[in-house]
Amino acid sequence: MYRRDFLKTLALGSVALSPLGHAWANPGARTNELVIGKRTLDVNGKVASVFRLTDKAGNAGLVLNAPSDFDVLLRNESDEETLIHWHGLTPPWDLDGVPGNPAALLPPKERRSYKFPLSRGGTHWMHAHTLQEQSLLAAPLIIRTADDLARDEQEVTVLLHDFSFKSPEELLSDLQSGGGHAMPSGHGDMSSMMNMHGGHQMGSAETSAAPHMMMGMDLNDIEYDAYLANDRTLDDPEIVKVERGGRIRLRIINGATATAFTIDTGELEGELIAVDGMHVVPVRGRRFPLSMGQRADIRVALPPADGAYPILALREGAVERTGVILATASARVQKLETTAAAKGPVLDLSLEQSLQSLTPLARRAVDRRFALMLGGDMATYRWSIDTDSPIEVSSGQRIRISMHNMSMMAHPMHLHGHHFQVTEINGKNISGAMRDTVMLPPMARVSIEFDADNSGRWPLHCHHLYHMATGMMTFVDYGQQG
């Protein structure tokens, strides 16, 4: 299958930093420019050609303000046709950035304008909705509010990624053939399943499923050459200068294509204040799970003395890690190994089960209910959602989608064009976080609710790039009311 066919496959679902040095944009400012291009990156002493996604000054990503308009001119200066999806935003359907749904790919050397309202702030990101995402065609998309600017805190944005010197087409071919990168890194065990996340232990519903997961859970299906935080490994990490006694807001984005992490704040106690750009009742801890496509805003307070404080991303069920280091001006920064002595925790739903939104959905009856089964296996490397047609709803309805993961891999499920509330986990009703991406471990059941207030044909898919590419994608479809 050629690259063009891969692009169409991901669009239609037919198969089945450097620090950000932006000024806060003014409401009346001229259109922001976003440039797609190519660059070279040194990884482990080898040079690779990857994408870049920058403003016209060369800064990674965009920092905008709300309320205002998302007013962006996208220029494709690369030699490949592509398109960018605004992950976490809720634009009109034709501006969502998914090729063929309905927008055409942007040819090389051409440009396209985007303009729609930004009503709220948040930590978001933007990326290709094609295999090009694996080649680092992704960047932060930070929307600040006046309240954000008024706080006496330093913002640090961290974009995580997994990197391979192989092309994404080669990686997918390896997975489908069962060779090379297929399943070298592991199966869960009960001790790792019982790891703590931010001080929360696995709930009883998850514990009851653990023996089944223990026997055959597949954690990582690709062994990458490196794991990056703002384009750098721990061999040469980004060192962020901070002030003694300062307060830091970490905006952490898991932009990896096939790798989940646990964020480890080390000796600094963290306070989780937002997930997927939406505020939650703060949760204190030192370890926070982050699946593909998800974001976490974590506030930390620094001691009054000089010091260096690693903020690490621990690869799920494996020893590899990446991250950045917060360091005061006079601090001595010690070298960190890219591997740890112990494996990173296996992600579960214990933290998710405890989260509460500060801006929940208004209470109302559910109008339509749908049940989806997530399936697939490593042997054939085909992943699916058991529906032959889009989820058809009507504008103005409250929708509930219940998802049951019957496969032995976790699936971070992302809905475009909406924010949903997590309302049930493994049979337990909750008033959970507002999100756009929720992770389902093997055998887990999660229900989400949202209002159909943004008409279109919206993708609902696994944010593991290769699961989506091989069939784990459907659509929520509806038109304008009346």
Side-chain angles (χ1 to χ4, degrees):
M1 190 177 287
Y2 296 102
R3 172 175 288 274
R4 183 181 296 267
D5 295 320
F6 276 117
L7 295 172
K8 291 177 180 176
T9 292
L10 295 187
L12 302 176
S14 59
V15 177
L17 292 184
S18 58
L20 300 177
H22 301 273
W24 191 50
N26 293 317
R30 66 178 183 271
T31 301
N32 299 278
E33 289 195 19
L34 185 65
V35 182
I36 303 167
K38 289 290 187 74
R39 61 193 167 114
T40 56
L41 190 67
D42 184 289
V43 181
N44 298 334
K46 293 175 62 178
V47 174
S49 175
V50 298
F51 283 96
R52 65 180 176 92
L53 189 56
T54 64
D55 66 14
K56 62 182 179 180
N59 299 305
L62 291 174
V63 178
L64 305 174
N65 68 306
S68 68
D69 281 337
F70 182 86
D71 188 358
V72 172
L73 178 66
L74 179 65
R75 290 171 36 212
N76 184 6
E77 298 298 329
S78 78
D79 57 359
E80 299 181 34
E81 57 182 4
T82 188
L83 202 58
I84 300 301
H85 164 57
W86 321 109
H87 186 130
L89 303 189
T90 54
W93 174 53
D94 59 339
L95 302 181
D96 186 49
V98 176
N101 189 51
L105 287 161
L106 182 62
K109 313 309 176 187
E110 293 195 11
R111 59 187 64 191
R112 191 170 296 166
S113 295
Y114 295 81
K115 190 171 185 178
F116 53 86
L118 288 175
S119 60
R120 59 166 66 94
T123 299
H124 305 303
W125 63 304
M126 46 195 171
H127 59 85
H129 216 266
T130 68
L131 291 182
Q132 294 159 326
E133 182 189 344
Q134 178 71 81
S135 300
L136 306 191
L137 187 42
L141 177 54
I142 308 302
I143 314 299
R144 290 176 177 160
T145 65
D147 287 343
D148 293 333
L149 290 178
R151 294 189 185 95
D152 183 19
E153 63 186 15
Q154 179 180 349
E155 290 193 359
V156 176
T157 299
V158 181
L159 176 65
L160 304 172
H161 218 294
D162 39 28
F163 174 82
S164 176
F165 286 104
K166 288 190 173 185
S167 72
E169 290 86 354
E170 289 178 285
L171 292 176
L172 182 55
S173 177
D174 285 345
L175 290 165
Q176 291 175 318
S177 67
H181 286 251
M183 300 188 277
S185 70
H187 300 275
D189 56 53
M190 184 61 75
S191 61
S192 61
M193 291 301 298
M194 296 301 292
N195 266 315
M196 303 285 282
H197 285 299
H200 299 273
Q201 196 161 3
M202 188 162 57
S204 59
E206 294 155 344
T207 304
S208 65
H212 302 285
M213 292 188 283
M214 176 182 64
M215 294 174 63
M217 182 180 183
D218 295 303
L219 297 180
N220 296 298
D221 48 14
I222 298 177
E223 289 295 312
Y224 284 96
D225 293 304
Y227 300 88
L228 308 178
N230 292 348
D231 288 344
R232 299 166 79 160
T233 70
L234 279 181
D235 283 331
D236 179 29
E238 179 181 352
I239 298 174
V240 181
K241 293 301 180 185
V242 295
E243 295 183 357
R244 292 180 294 176
R247 192 165 71 162
I248 311 297
R249 180 181 185 146
L250 300 166
R251 295 182 180 266
I252 304 179
I253 303 160
N254 187 354
T257 58
T259 305
F261 297 98
T262 293
I263 305 306
D264 188 341
T265 59
E267 63 182 277
L268 301 176
E269 183 178 49
E271 184 181 45
L272 180 68
I273 59 173
V275 296
D276 294 358
M278 306 292 282
H279 286 99
V280 295
V281 175
V283 177
R284 292 185 175 275
R286 285 181 168 81
R287 286 190 166 187
F288 303 93
L290 201 62
S291 195
M292 295 81 85
Q294 293 184 327
R295 290 87 70 207
D297 287 35
I298 303 169
R299 183 173 285 137
V300 295
L302 303 180
D306 280 316
Y309 309 99
I311 305 297
L312 299 177
L314 314 177
R315 184 184 177 214
E316 183 180 23
V319 295
E320 290 81 10
R321 59 186 185 174
T322 188
V324 302
I325 299 175
L326 311 179
T328 58
S330 302
R332 182 171 177 268
V333 179
Q334 295 183 333
K335 180 175 173 56
L336 293 173
E337 299 296 328
T338 59
T339 56
K343 293 180 179 180
V346 174
L347 274 63
D348 60 38
L349 290 171
S350 52
L351 176 61
E352 192 71 56
Q353 214 162 243
S354 72
L355 294 178
Q356 300 176 64
S357 174
L358 288 179
T359 56
L361 289 176
R363 297 187 64 144
R364 59 171 284 190
V366 172
D367 297 301
R368 296 290 305 278
R369 299 171 186 267
F370 299 88
L372 302 180
M373 202 79 74
L374 311 181
D377 62 83
M378 290 293 297
T380 63
Y381 212 81
R382 294 181 64 86
W383 305 92
S384 63
I385 301 174
D386 69 338
T387 177
D388 295 326
S389 59
I391 298 167
E392 295 186 353
V393 304
S394 296
S395 183
Q397 291 181 328
R398 171 66 57 86
I399 308 301
R400 180 182 176 96
I401 298 177
S402 298
M403 296 174 283
H404 192 180
N405 181 9
M406 294 301 292
S407 77
M408 298 315 297
M409 286 201 77
H411 302 294
M413 298 302 295
H414 172 50
L415 175 63
H416 289 223
H418 303 77
H419 293 100
F420 55 74
Q421 186 167 16
V422 181
T423 56
E424 182 184 13
I425 294 179
N426 291 326
K428 178 182 178 182
N429 292 321
I430 63 172
S431 180
M434 295 293 295
R435 283 192 172 277
D436 56 56
T437 307
V438 66
M439 188 269 294
L440 276 78
M443 302 298 138
R445 288 175 289 124
V446 173
S447 295
I448 62 172
E449 294 182 18
F450 62 94
D451 291 328
D453 56 8
N454 191 14
S455 60
R457 184 174 183 262
W458 297 104
L460 171 64
H461 65 87
C462 179
H463 221 283
H464 184 307
L465 180 63
Y466 303 98
H467 293 180
M468 180 177 70
T470 53
M472 191 167 276
M473 180 157 139
T474 187
F475 298 88
V476 174
D477 195 355
Y478 63 104
Q480 297 284 349
Q481 193 167 17

